[in-house]
Amino acid sequence: MAINVNQTVPATTTVKTDKVDQNIQKQQQVAQQQAAITQPAMRQDSVSLTSQAQQFTKAQEKASSSSGIDQRKVDEIKQAISEGKYKVNVEQLARRIVQFEGELFGKK
């Protein structure tokens, strides 16, 4: 039995490969359509802060990083005491001590 190698490929083979290619293209189109349908559902949420909220956040960070002590004022008082220039208002001091003890022990 002899086989002719120079013979062209039968037309039925070409038709079959065209149908396979068409099926692949249809499957790809369906996959793209399904992806387009599901994409809006997979959208990411986002949040934006107002300028007031951003300022509040910065102020809160600054307050949490500070010690709550006005070091400049402390240094001024120390210097005034060491130079003998610091004067205590004894009447105001006594009034505030009485007020503090009243608040501490529940008496007004």
Side-chain angles (χ1 to χ4, degrees):
M1 175 174 178
I3 298 176
N4 186 357
V5 183
N6 294 327
Q7 187 178 16
T8 60
V9 178
T12 57
T13 306
T14 306
V15 172
K16 286 182 183 178
T17 57
D18 287 345
K19 286 186 179 182
V20 170
D21 289 341
Q22 288 174 355
N23 285 338
I24 291 172
Q25 288 176 352
K26 284 182 184 180
Q27 289 173 351
Q28 289 174 347
Q29 287 175 350
V30 169
Q32 287 174 352
Q33 289 172 350
Q34 288 176 345
I37 290 170
T38 58
Q39 267 184 337
M42 297 174 67
R43 186 175 33 172
Q44 295 289 331
D45 292 336
S46 65
V47 175
S48 61
L49 299 176
T50 63
S51 61
Q52 290 174 331
Q54 291 171 350
Q55 288 174 347
F56 178 74
T57 301
K58 288 179 185 176
Q60 194 174 22
E61 289 172 357
K62 186 176 180 181
S64 67
S65 66
S66 71
S67 64
I69 298 173
D70 186 356
Q71 191 60 44
R72 183 183 57 82
K73 189 170 184 178
V74 170
D75 292 339
E76 287 175 2
I77 293 171
K78 280 184 178 181
Q79 184 178 359
I81 291 172
S82 67
E83 293 174 355
K85 296 179 182 177
Y86 187 75
K87 303 292 181 199
V88 177
N89 184 342
V90 291
E91 289 179 12
Q92 184 181 15
L93 178 62
R95 196 172 31 249
R96 289 199 177 168
I97 289 173
V98 170
Q99 179 185 0
F100 174 73
E101 286 181 353
E103 291 172 359
L104 184 64
F105 297 114
K107 300 175 185 175
K108 292 187 178 184

